[in-house]
Amino acid sequence: MFCTIAHHKMPAHIIYEDSSTIAFLDINPYSYGHTLVIPKIHTLNILTATDETLGHVMHTVKLVSNHYINDCGYDGITVLSACNEVANQSIPHLHIHIVPRKNDDSLSALSDVFSQTHSYDLNEGEQILTMRP
Ligand SMILES: [Zn+2]
């Protein structure tokens, strides 16, 4: 499923893209701007990825996260990646969640962040959050 997004065979609300990664809005968001970063090359998760792929993915996580904090009014981010089914990995393609946080978002415990979905207009989110060169 994420391979199809990586190869532009399925539409997504894309925030950032480079030659080896793509960042797009999660369709079941935990917060406004909840973003997934994936490598374009297929690998199951962090445990199976090469160091090179992990480097590319984390570079994009850092870039997008700093953009959200410096340009979009967020105060911090929560990062999560589930590895294997026992850890609730639902899509078998490496993806790292960026959950943008605000001081007043009332998600006090980490468990709050991953237990509440937050619906919002993803087209609007894409317009606001996209990284422009
Ligand atoms: Zn894949």
Side-chain angles (χ1 to χ4, degrees), residues 33-55:
H34 179 178
T35 300
L36 301 178
V37 177
I38 63 170
K40 289 185 174 177
I41 193 166
H42 180 83
T43 189
L44 177 60
N45 58 37
I46 286 173
L47 305 174
T48 60
T50 64
D51 290 353
E52 185 185 17
T53 295
L54 280 180

PDB file of all heavy atoms in Angstrom, residues 33-55:
ATOM      1  N   GLY A  33      -2.120  17.528  11.286  1.00  0.00           N
ATOM      2  CA  GLY A  33      -0.769  17.467  10.728  1.00  0.00           C
ATOM      3  C   GLY A  33      -0.040  16.158  10.940  1.00  0.00           C
ATOM      4  O   GLY A  33       1.119  16.023  10.537  1.00  0.00           O
ATOM      5  N   HIS A  34      -0.703  15.165  11.546  1.00  0.00           N
ATOM      6  CA  HIS A  34      -0.075  13.845  11.731  1.00  0.00           C
ATOM      7  C   HIS A  34       0.442  13.343  10.376  1.00  0.00           C
ATOM      8  O   HIS A  34      -0.308  13.196   9.427  1.00  0.00           O
ATOM      9  CB  HIS A  34      -1.119  12.898  12.316  1.00  0.00           C
ATOM     10  CG  HIS A  34      -0.644  11.497  12.538  1.00  0.00           C
ATOM     11  ND1 HIS A  34      -1.460  10.540  13.091  1.00  0.00           N
ATOM     12  CD2 HIS A  34       0.535  10.872  12.289  1.00  0.00           C
ATOM     13  CE1 HIS A  34      -0.807   9.390  13.166  1.00  0.00           C
ATOM     14  NE2 HIS A  34       0.407   9.571  12.686  1.00  0.00           N
ATOM     15  N   THR A  35       1.738  13.093  10.329  1.00  0.00           N
ATOM     16  CA  THR A  35       2.436  12.825   9.063  1.00  0.00           C
ATOM     17  C   THR A  35       3.161  11.492   9.122  1.00  0.00           C
ATOM     18  O   THR A  35       3.634  11.084  10.180  1.00  0.00           O
ATOM     19  CB  THR A  35       3.456  13.969   8.818  1.00  0.00           C
ATOM     20  OG1 THR A  35       2.733  15.205   8.741  1.00  0.00           O
ATOM     21  CG2 THR A  35       4.260  13.763   7.548  1.00  0.00           C
ATOM     22  N   LEU A  36       3.228  10.805   7.992  1.00  0.00           N
ATOM     23  CA  LEU A  36       4.010   9.576   7.888  1.00  0.00           C
ATOM     24  C   LEU A  36       5.185   9.821   6.955  1.00  0.00           C
ATOM     25  O   LEU A  36       5.020  10.433   5.894  1.00  0.00           O
ATOM     26  CB  LEU A  36       3.153   8.440   7.324  1.00  0.00           C
ATOM     27  CG  LEU A  36       1.901   8.082   8.128  1.00  0.00           C
ATOM     28  CD1 LEU A  36       1.121   6.971   7.417  1.00  0.00           C
ATOM     29  CD2 LEU A  36       2.264   7.647   9.541  1.00  0.00           C
ATOM     30  N   VAL A  37       6.349   9.347   7.353  1.00  0.00           N
ATOM     31  CA  VAL A  37       7.535   9.417   6.489  1.00  0.00           C
ATOM     32  C   VAL A  37       7.902   7.994   6.108  1.00  0.00           C
ATOM     33  O   VAL A  37       8.034   7.123   6.986  1.00  0.00           O
ATOM     34  CB  VAL A  37       8.717  10.092   7.210  1.00  0.00           C
ATOM     35  CG1 VAL A  37       9.959  10.081   6.316  1.00  0.00           C
ATOM     36  CG2 VAL A  37       8.356  11.516   7.610  1.00  0.00           C
ATOM     37  N   ILE A  38       8.041   7.745   4.802  1.00  0.00           N
ATOM     38  CA  ILE A  38       8.382   6.404   4.323  1.00  0.00           C
ATOM     39  C   ILE A  38       9.553   6.476   3.342  1.00  0.00           C
ATOM     40  O   ILE A  38       9.744   7.491   2.674  1.00  0.00           O
ATOM     41  CB  ILE A  38       7.180   5.716   3.616  1.00  0.00           C
ATOM     42  CG1 ILE A  38       6.757   6.482   2.353  1.00  0.00           C
ATOM     43  CG2 ILE A  38       5.998   5.552   4.565  1.00  0.00           C
ATOM     44  CD1 ILE A  38       5.747   5.726   1.482  1.00  0.00           C
ATOM     45  N   PRO A  39      10.316   5.367   3.269  1.00  0.00           N
ATOM     46  CA  PRO A  39      11.319   5.289   2.205  1.00  0.00           C
ATOM     47  C   PRO A  39      10.629   4.862   0.910  1.00  0.00           C
ATOM     48  O   PRO A  39       9.632   4.133   0.950  1.00  0.00           O
ATOM     49  CB  PRO A  39      12.271   4.194   2.704  1.00  0.00           C
ATOM     50  CG  PRO A  39      11.412   3.295   3.527  1.00  0.00           C
ATOM     51  CD  PRO A  39      10.336   4.182   4.136  1.00  0.00           C
ATOM     52  N   LYS A  40      11.147   5.298  -0.232  1.00  0.00           N
ATOM     53  CA  LYS A  40      10.566   4.862  -1.507  1.00  0.00           C
ATOM     54  C   LYS A  40      10.899   3.400  -1.795  1.00  0.00           C
ATOM     55  O   LYS A  40      10.128   2.687  -2.431  1.00  0.00           O
ATOM     56  CB  LYS A  40      11.062   5.764  -2.642  1.00  0.00           C
ATOM     57  CG  LYS A  40      10.445   7.155  -2.557  1.00  0.00           C
ATOM     58  CD  LYS A  40      10.822   8.022  -3.743  1.00  0.00           C
ATOM     59  CE  LYS A  40      10.049   9.332  -3.668  1.00  0.00           C
ATOM     60  NZ  LYS A  40      10.424  10.253  -4.757  1.00  0.00           N
ATOM     61  N   ILE A  41      12.039   2.974  -1.311  1.00  0.00           N
ATOM     62  CA  ILE A  41      12.434   1.577  -1.486  1.00  0.00           C
ATOM     63  C   ILE A  41      11.655   0.745  -0.462  1.00  0.00           C
ATOM     64  O   ILE A  41      11.452   1.190   0.676  1.00  0.00           O
ATOM     65  CB  ILE A  41      13.966   1.435  -1.303  1.00  0.00           C
ATOM     66  CG1 ILE A  41      14.456   0.086  -1.775  1.00  0.00           C
ATOM     67  CG2 ILE A  41      14.393   1.670   0.124  1.00  0.00           C
ATOM     68  CD1 ILE A  41      15.974   0.050  -1.937  1.00  0.00           C
ATOM     69  N   HIS A  42      11.189  -0.439  -0.855  1.00  0.00           N
ATOM     70  CA  HIS A  42      10.400  -1.236   0.080  1.00  0.00           C
ATOM     71  C   HIS A  42      11.268  -1.918   1.126  1.00  0.00           C
ATOM     72  O   HIS A  42      12.244  -2.584   0.808  1.00  0.00           O
ATOM     73  CB  HIS A  42       9.572  -2.316  -0.635  1.00  0.00           C
ATOM     74  CG  HIS A  42       8.780  -3.126   0.352  1.00  0.00           C
ATOM     75  ND1 HIS A  42       7.568  -2.697   0.847  1.00  0.00           N
ATOM     76  CD2 HIS A  42       9.087  -4.266   1.020  1.00  0.00           C
ATOM     77  CE1 HIS A  42       7.147  -3.554   1.758  1.00  0.00           C
ATOM     78  NE2 HIS A  42       8.055  -4.524   1.878  1.00  0.00           N
ATOM     79  N   THR A  43      10.875  -1.762   2.392  1.00  0.00           N
ATOM     80  CA  THR A  43      11.437  -2.559   3.468  1.00  0.00           C
ATOM     81  C   THR A  43      10.372  -2.639   4.549  1.00  0.00           C
ATOM     82  O   THR A  43       9.522  -1.753   4.644  1.00  0.00           O
ATOM     83  CB  THR A  43      12.773  -1.984   4.002  1.00  0.00           C
ATOM     84  OG1 THR A  43      13.373  -2.928   4.907  1.00  0.00           O
ATOM     85  CG2 THR A  43      12.573  -0.656   4.718  1.00  0.00           C
ATOM     86  N   LEU A  44      10.376  -3.709   5.350  1.00  0.00           N
ATOM     87  CA  LEU A  44       9.290  -3.936   6.302  1.00  0.00           C
ATOM     88  C   LEU A  44       9.234  -2.880   7.400  1.00  0.00           C
ATOM     89  O   LEU A  44       8.196  -2.279   7.651  1.00  0.00           O
ATOM     90  CB  LEU A  44       9.417  -5.334   6.922  1.00  0.00           C
ATOM     91  CG  LEU A  44       8.382  -5.703   7.990  1.00  0.00           C
ATOM     92  CD1 LEU A  44       6.966  -5.646   7.439  1.00  0.00           C
ATOM     93  CD2 LEU A  44       8.700  -7.078   8.568  1.00  0.00           C
ATOM     94  N   ASN A  45      10.359  -2.660   8.064  1.00  0.00           N
ATOM     95  CA  ASN A  45      10.364  -1.711   9.184  1.00  0.00           C
ATOM     96  C   ASN A  45      11.806  -1.369   9.565  1.00  0.00           C
ATOM     97  O   ASN A  45      12.747  -1.723   8.834  1.00  0.00           O
ATOM     98  CB  ASN A  45       9.552  -2.259  10.379  1.00  0.00           C
ATOM     99  CG  ASN A  45      10.060  -3.609  10.890  1.00  0.00           C
ATOM    100  OD1 ASN A  45      11.274  -3.853  10.903  1.00  0.00           O
ATOM    101  ND2 ASN A  45       9.151  -4.484  11.291  1.00  0.00           N
ATOM    102  N   ILE A  46      11.980  -0.692  10.692  1.00  0.00           N
ATOM    103  CA  ILE A  46      13.314  -0.271  11.138  1.00  0.00           C
ATOM    104  C   ILE A  46      14.258  -1.465  11.265  1.00  0.00           C
ATOM    105  O   ILE A  46      15.454  -1.359  10.988  1.00  0.00           O
ATOM    106  CB  ILE A  46      13.202   0.481  12.495  1.00  0.00           C
ATOM    107  CG1 ILE A  46      12.611   1.877  12.277  1.00  0.00           C
ATOM    108  CG2 ILE A  46      14.556   0.573  13.192  1.00  0.00           C
ATOM    109  CD1 ILE A  46      12.310   2.631  13.569  1.00  0.00           C
ATOM    110  N   LEU A  47      13.707  -2.615  11.667  1.00  0.00           N
ATOM    111  CA  LEU A  47      14.538  -3.790  11.921  1.00  0.00           C
ATOM    112  C   LEU A  47      15.145  -4.363  10.645  1.00  0.00           C
ATOM    113  O   LEU A  47      16.185  -5.019  10.687  1.00  0.00           O
ATOM    114  CB  LEU A  47      13.702  -4.872  12.620  1.00  0.00           C
ATOM    115  CG  LEU A  47      13.012  -4.437  13.914  1.00  0.00           C
ATOM    116  CD1 LEU A  47      12.108  -5.551  14.433  1.00  0.00           C
ATOM    117  CD2 LEU A  47      14.038  -4.042  14.966  1.00  0.00           C
ATOM    118  N   THR A  48      14.490  -4.119   9.519  1.00  0.00           N
ATOM    119  CA  THR A  48      14.946  -4.713   8.253  1.00  0.00           C
ATOM    120  C   THR A  48      15.621  -3.704   7.326  1.00  0.00           C
ATOM    121  O   THR A  48      16.233  -4.094   6.334  1.00  0.00           O
ATOM    122  CB  THR A  48      13.755  -5.328   7.490  1.00  0.00           C
ATOM    123  OG1 THR A  48      12.798  -4.297   7.202  1.00  0.00           O
ATOM    124  CG2 THR A  48      13.083  -6.427   8.290  1.00  0.00           C
ATOM    125  N   ALA A  49      15.495  -2.424   7.643  1.00  0.00           N
ATOM    126  CA  ALA A  49      16.031  -1.386   6.748  1.00  0.00           C
ATOM    127  C   ALA A  49      17.551  -1.342   6.808  1.00  0.00           C
ATOM    128  O   ALA A  49      18.157  -1.642   7.838  1.00  0.00           O
ATOM    129  CB  ALA A  49      15.464  -0.028   7.156  1.00  0.00           C
ATOM    130  N   THR A  50      18.160  -0.943   5.699  1.00  0.00           N
ATOM    131  CA  THR A  50      19.606  -0.712   5.726  1.00  0.00           C
ATOM    132  C   THR A  50      19.877   0.593   6.479  1.00  0.00           C
ATOM    133  O   THR A  50      18.999   1.454   6.609  1.00  0.00           O
ATOM    134  CB  THR A  50      20.175  -0.561   4.300  1.00  0.00           C
ATOM    135  OG1 THR A  50      19.598   0.603   3.701  1.00  0.00           O
ATOM    136  CG2 THR A  50      19.865  -1.787   3.442  1.00  0.00           C
ATOM    137  N   ASP A  51      21.107   0.742   6.945  1.00  0.00           N
ATOM    138  CA  ASP A  51      21.483   1.978   7.634  1.00  0.00           C
ATOM    139  C   ASP A  51      21.305   3.175   6.704  1.00  0.00           C
ATOM    140  O   ASP A  51      20.914   4.264   7.136  1.00  0.00           O
ATOM    141  CB  ASP A  51      22.939   1.906   8.123  1.00  0.00           C
ATOM    142  CG  ASP A  51      23.108   0.924   9.272  1.00  0.00           C
ATOM    143  OD1 ASP A  51      22.095   0.408   9.782  1.00  0.00           O
ATOM    144  OD2 ASP A  51      24.274   0.671   9.658  1.00  0.00           O
ATOM    145  N   GLU A  52      21.587   2.969   5.439  1.00  0.00           N
ATOM    146  CA  GLU A  52      21.453   4.050   4.467  1.00  0.00           C
ATOM    147  C   GLU A  52      19.988   4.504   4.364  1.00  0.00           C
ATOM    148  O   GLU A  52      19.689   5.696   4.396  1.00  0.00           O
ATOM    149  CB  GLU A  52      21.968   3.587   3.103  1.00  0.00           C
ATOM    150  CG  GLU A  52      21.978   4.694   2.071  1.00  0.00           C
ATOM    151  CD  GLU A  52      22.364   4.206   0.677  1.00  0.00           C
ATOM    152  OE1 GLU A  52      22.317   2.982   0.433  1.00  0.00           O
ATOM    153  OE2 GLU A  52      22.666   5.064  -0.158  1.00  0.00           O
ATOM    154  N   THR A  53      19.080   3.536   4.257  1.00  0.00           N
ATOM    155  CA  THR A  53      17.653   3.876   4.174  1.00  0.00           C
ATOM    156  C   THR A  53      17.195   4.571   5.450  1.00  0.00           C
ATOM    157  O   THR A  53      16.488   5.582   5.401  1.00  0.00           O
ATOM    158  CB  THR A  53      16.816   2.608   3.912  1.00  0.00           C
ATOM    159  OG1 THR A  53      17.166   2.100   2.624  1.00  0.00           O
ATOM    160  CG2 THR A  53      15.329   2.893   3.951  1.00  0.00           C
ATOM    161  N   LEU A  54      17.608   4.047   6.599  1.00  0.00           N
ATOM    162  CA  LEU A  54      17.233   4.687   7.870  1.00  0.00           C
ATOM    163  C   LEU A  54      17.745   6.119   7.939  1.00  0.00           C
ATOM    164  O   LEU A  54      17.047   7.012   8.417  1.00  0.00           O
ATOM    165  CB  LEU A  54      17.804   3.906   9.062  1.00  0.00           C
ATOM    166  CG  LEU A  54      17.050   2.668   9.503  1.00  0.00           C
ATOM    167  CD1 LEU A  54      17.760   2.040  10.693  1.00  0.00           C
ATOM    168  CD2 LEU A  54      15.606   2.996   9.844  1.00  0.00           C
ATOM    169  N   GLY A  55      18.953   6.332   7.427  1.00  0.00           N
ATOM    170  CA  GLY A  55      19.533   7.674   7.413  1.00  0.00           C
ATOM    171  C   GLY A  55      18.679   8.627   6.585  1.00  0.00           C
ATOM    172  O   GLY A  55      18.385   9.747   7.017  1.00  0.00           O
TER     173      GLY A  55
END
